[in-house]
Amino acid sequence: MTPSTERGGRRTRRVTLADVARKARVDKAVVSRVVNNDPLLNIRPETRARVVAALKELDYRPNVAARSLRTARAGTVGLFIPDFANPVYAEIITGAETAAATRGCALMVGSSTVGDGRAQTYLDLLGQGRVDGLLLAGGAITDEEQATLADRALPWLFVNRRGGGGRHVILDDGLAARMAVEHLLELGHRRIAHVGGPTGADTAHRRREGYVEALRAGGLEEDPRLIVGGTYGPGGGAQAVGRLLEAPEPPTAIFVANVSSAIGVLSALRAHGLSVPEEVSVVAVHDLPLAEHLIPPLTTVRMPLRALGARATELLLTVPPDRPVEEVVRDPIELVVRQSTAPPR
Amino acid sequence: MTPSTERGGRRTRRVTLADVARKARVDKAVVSRVVNNDPLLNIRPETRARVVAALKELDYRPNVAARSLRTARAGTVGLFIPDFANPVYAEIITGAETAAATRGCALMVGSSTVGDGRAQTYLDLLGQGRVDGLLLAGGAITDEEQATLADRALPWLFVNRRGGGGRHVILDDGLAARMAVEHLLELGHRRIAHVGGPTGADTAHRRREGYVEALRAGGLEEDPRLIVGGTYGPGGGAQAVGRLLEAPEPPTAIFVANVSSAIGVLSALRAHGLSVPEEVSVVAVHDLPLAEHLIPPLTTVRMPLRALGARATELLLTVPPDRPVEEVVRDPIELVVRQSTAPPR
DNA sequence: CTGAAAGCGCTTACAG
DNA sequence: CTGAAAGCGCTTACAG
């Protein structure tokens, strides 16, 4: 008998290993090994056939809770992000989800928009044994939270930010910044400003370093008045432009640490009557589908965010939790030249 | 002894109910009832105090797998979406996450970007008992998938789209469309075009209906040449504008079914040398932080997407799975007038 | 080549 | 007011 269901999914009695074993006239241990493809199982072909047939006929699906209890493995990876609305995390999630699925694991994503926003609250919700490990992407993790984490006997890994006592996976944000700035230098720009990310954000820190390095490699000295911080959102970008234009000698080009900020940068420049790229060039880190539909289409540096999410998941699941991980994912970083950058006039 | 940990979270022996019971000199059944706040538990204050102290001292955290196995409840809600990169789903997720947490449940979000993209693949990954119910947001669910779903003895609910045999929660997309079009009518527009969503998307269907209704209520007849479909992305919006401008008498205003499309609409209008709002007004459904930073700042209709996600979660967890649910979430829909709409000249 | 048994950590109905 | 026992559904080391 297959379980019957009704509208909305009425819950009927589950099919268990014992049901399958009875039907196939074997012990449930045998069924278990067949289900899990136990390589050590030596079974007669006709017995296996009976088991497989019963499995199929009853539409057996293992009970995750029972399996987890027995094996002490959840088959689930946790991922904690600041905000689902940030498209950067969307890409990381997608990469992590795919990598987890490849290993037969589910992914459980939580954001700090819930409750008081602390990683701790998310941890409490996870309880004990809901996930086998935790990826912590971006955002600010306080020392207290890191201590709590340490108490949980749970493997973790920082993603897109350094930390975790030498357990992190990042991208080469310095290189991304240098590629952006070198592009501006090659176009002939000499007064290149930087709209950075929020103080304390590790990616912001590394992009700013890359900006300074590229300037110096080009024989220029950085000008503190041309470096302004912000948030990683459009509002922060718009505000930053306001401060930038107060400088006595305004820049001819702006390197923006984040594409969302750049949307605000573009609109603020226009509001100040400056045309892009004729009067000011703009280039930003991270590409998005909408970048080519901005006015003007935005030159960006595309980062391998999916690869980052995928690699982090793999490492979390394979590297022993007491071993350090400090990896820079080396998938290609690509300059996407559109119409927001041009030689200075 | 509290469990010791090392870098990366070395796994140490877990604290179980039995450990706590031993320390508090009671049976583990008592500890269990204290942990779960059993209202029927009659316990001497000093006994409770001993239990609470032991709980705290050992930092006890219930094993989720054991509890799930025993109670046949996962304490987790599943949510299946087409794509994490779509900001509309980000809002729904956030609402669902908060509502789930309020009920002590975790949320497990999966997207169709994994594997072959079918809901079925996600269901297989979920296995048996990983979630207590499933929210299916947007996207296309085939009949085959709906049949599979019915076989799973799992309560489900469609979110933001009708379906599921009378199990869905939606917003009043018709009203949103009428508000947008009425705004254009009040400004004096008479040739109002519609850039719709993808064929088969239920929200697209209802927004288009609202558009037609509003036109007729304003004494106008819809013109098929002014109705073009598209995707819910910038590329679709841009293409749609191209087709719209082939009409002998181009529109003076465009109602766009989705804010992401509208980004493409704005850039395509500019590419065709048409200024917004002087020559063409644009209004779109869904508000985003970036809307006010577009060029020009975009007039939108803000939808209560968080409330939708939250309500769907509540209904999934409370309405018996064999009862129909057909709810329209009535939280306020708001017209946000910015600078992309103006009277025709 | 297959079976029987133990036990993962909980909750709950029942006994006293 | 508290304890003892059964059992959720699985996996695995071991027996034969």
Side-chain angles (χ1 to χ4, degrees):
Chain A
M1 276 196 311
T2 46
S4 68
T5 48
E6 296 178 18
R7 175 179 54 197
R10 177 190 276 287
R11 188 172 291 279
T12 54
R13 202 180 72 76
R14 290 174 162 167
V15 175
T16 70
L17 268 191
D19 297 324
V20 179
R22 205 175 309 116
K23 186 167 199 85
R25 285 170 286 122
V26 294
D27 189 85
K28 59 193 169 71
V30 175
V31 181
S32 172
R33 284 151 167 155
V34 169
V35 168
N36 295 308
N37 286 314
D38 181 350
L40 299 177
L41 173 61
N42 223 336
I43 190 176
R44 267 209 305 262
E46 57 258 42
T47 311
R48 179 186 289 274
R50 280 211 314 281
V51 173
V52 169
L55 242 17
K56 183 158 194 179
E57 195 166 340
L58 296 177
D59 193 28
Y60 172 76
R61 230 171 299 278
N63 180 309
V64 176
R67 177 180 280 179
S68 292
L69 176 58
R70 178 59 227 234
T71 61
R73 289 206 49 230
T76 305
V77 172
L79 171 57
F80 187 68
I81 61 168
D83 188 359
F84 281 103
N86 186 331
V88 167
Y89 295 111
E91 288 247 26
I92 292 176
I93 293 171
T94 303
E97 191 180 29
T98 304
T102 300
R103 290 182 146 68
C105 284
L107 182 73
M108 188 166 252
V109 193
S111 82
S112 62
T113 53
V114 162
D116 56 7
R118 297 189 312 160
Q120 173 126 20
T121 309
Y122 178 60
L123 284 169
D124 286 339
L125 191 64
L126 284 182
Q128 182 69 256
R130 208 187 283 270
V131 298
D132 296 318
L134 197 52
L135 299 173
L136 297 154
I141 307 286
T142 63
D143 288 350
E144 184 210 343
E145 285 168 341
Q146 208 164 324
T148 311
L149 216 50
D151 278 347
R152 286 304 166 89
L154 191 69
W156 77 80
L157 199 54
F158 280 51
V159 183
N160 209 25
R161 78 188 286 282
R162 292 170 296 183
R167 297 262 309 176
H168 62 248
V169 195
I170 56 174
L171 297 176
D172 194 344
D173 289 277
L175 172 60
R178 292 197 302 276
M179 286 170 67
V181 174
E182 280 162 14
H183 169 60
L184 296 172
L185 288 170
E186 277 165 20
L187 287 170
H189 291 279
R190 289 296 171 267
R191 283 192 66 72
I192 300 172
H194 177 44
V195 171
T199 320
D202 185 51
T203 49
H205 181 73
R206 287 180 281 128
R207 286 170 204 165
R208 182 180 156 153
E209 280 184 345
Y211 158 80
V212 171
E213 277 172 36
L215 285 184
R216 292 187 181 172
L220 299 173
E221 197 62 30
E222 73 271 16
D223 178 347
R225 291 166 304 177
L226 292 185
I227 302 179
V228 291
T231 63
Y232 274 157
Q239 282 184 1
V241 166
R243 274 175 285 149
L244 227 37
L245 298 181
E246 287 169 5
E249 225 186 319
T252 64
I254 307 178
F255 163 55
V256 189
N258 182 284
V259 62
S260 296
S261 288
I263 296 172
V265 167
L266 290 179
S267 81
L269 285 173
R270 168 166 296 260
H272 281 89
L274 292 169
S275 62
V276 179
E278 290 77 9
E279 294 171 277
V280 186
S281 284
V282 177
V283 56
V285 174
H286 289 317
D287 196 41
L288 286 181
L290 67 80
E292 67 170 296
H293 295 281
L294 293 174
I295 299 172
L298 185 69
T299 297
T300 63
V301 179
R302 182 182 292 150
M303 303 288 279
L305 289 165
R306 287 194 185 205
L308 174 66
R311 185 66 184 142
T313 305
E314 284 169 16
L315 288 169
L316 181 69
L317 290 172
T318 54
V319 176
D322 54 348
R323 285 251 310 278
V325 178
E326 303 196 16
E327 184 166 312
V328 181
V329 174
R330 294 293 177 190
D331 286 58
I333 294 174
E334 195 183 346
L335 179 72
V336 183
V337 179
R338 297 200 181 92
Q339 292 153 44
S340 66
T341 46
R345 56 172 188 196
Chain B
M1 276 197 311
T2 46
S4 68
T5 48
E6 297 180 18
R7 174 178 56 194
R10 179 190 276 288
R11 187 171 292 278
T12 52
R13 203 179 71 79
R14 290 174 162 165
V15 175
T16 70
L17 269 191
D19 297 325
V20 180
R22 204 175 310 118
K23 186 166 198 86
R25 282 170 288 122
V26 295
D27 189 86
K28 59 192 168 72
V30 175
V31 182
S32 172
R33 284 149 165 155
V34 169
V35 168
N36 295 308
N37 286 315
D38 182 350
L40 300 177
L41 173 62
N42 224 334
I43 190 175
R44 266 209 305 264
E46 58 259 42
T47 311
R48 178 186 289 275
R50 279 211 315 282
V51 172
V52 169
L55 243 18
K56 183 158 192 180
E57 194 165 341
L58 295 176
D59 192 29
Y60 172 76
R61 230 171 300 278
N63 181 309
V64 176
R67 178 180 279 177
S68 293
L69 176 58
R70 178 59 227 233
T71 60
R73 287 205 51 229
T76 304
V77 172
L79 171 57
F80 186 68
I81 61 169
D83 188 359
F84 281 103
N86 186 330
V88 167
Y89 295 111
E91 289 246 24
I92 293 175
I93 293 172
T94 302
E97 191 181 30
T98 303
T102 301
R103 290 180 146 68
C105 284
L107 182 72
M108 189 166 250
V109 193
S111 82
S112 61
T113 52
V114 162
D116 56 7
R118 298 191 311 161
Q120 173 125 20
T121 309
Y122 178 61
L123 284 168
D124 286 341
L125 191 62
L126 285 182
Q128 182 69 255
R130 208 187 284 269
V131 299
D132 296 318
L134 198 51
L135 299 173
L136 297 153
I141 308 286
T142 63
D143 288 351
E144 184 210 344
E145 285 167 341
Q146 207 163 324
T148 311
L149 217 48
D151 277 347
R152 288 302 167 92
L154 191 70
W156 77 83
L157 199 55
F158 280 50
V159 183
N160 208 27
R161 76 188 289 281
R162 292 170 297 184
R167 297 263 308 177
H168 62 249
V169 196
I170 56 175
L171 297 176
D172 194 344
D173 290 277
L175 173 59
R178 293 197 302 276
M179 286 170 66
V181 175
E182 279 162 14
H183 169 61
L184 297 172
L185 288 170
E186 278 165 20
L187 286 170
H189 291 279
R190 288 297 172 266
R191 284 192 65 73
I192 301 173
H194 177 43
V195 171
T199 320
D202 185 51
T203 50
H205 181 73
R206 288 180 280 127
R207 286 171 203 165
R208 182 180 154 150
E209 280 184 347
Y211 158 80
V212 171
E213 278 172 35
L215 285 185
R216 292 185 180 171
L220 299 174
E221 197 64 31
E222 73 271 18
D223 179 346
R225 290 166 305 177
L226 291 185
I227 302 180
V228 290
T231 63
Y232 273 157
Q239 282 184 0
V241 166
R243 275 175 285 150
L244 228 37
L245 297 181
E246 287 169 5
E249 227 186 317
T252 65
I254 306 177
F255 162 55
V256 189
N258 183 284
V259 62
S260 296
S261 288
I263 296 172
V265 168
L266 290 179
S267 80
L269 285 173
R270 167 166 296 260
H272 283 88
L274 291 169
S275 63
V276 179
E278 291 78 8
E279 294 171 276
V280 185
S281 284
V282 177
V283 56
V285 174
H286 291 315
D287 198 40
L288 286 181
L290 67 79
E292 66 170 297
H293 295 281
L294 293 175
I295 299 172
L298 185 71
T299 296
T300 63
V301 180
R302 183 182 292 149
M303 304 289 279
L305 289 165
R306 286 195 188 205
L308 174 66
R311 185 68 183 140
T313 305
E314 282 169 19
L315 289 168
L316 181 68
L317 289 173
T318 55
V319 176
D322 53 347
R323 286 250 309 278
V325 178
E326 303 195 16
E327 184 166 311
V328 181
V329 174
R330 293 294 178 189
D331 287 57
I333 293 173
E334 195 183 344
L335 179 72
V336 183
V337 179
R338 297 201 181 92
Q339 291 152 45
S340 66
T341 47
R345 55 171 189 197

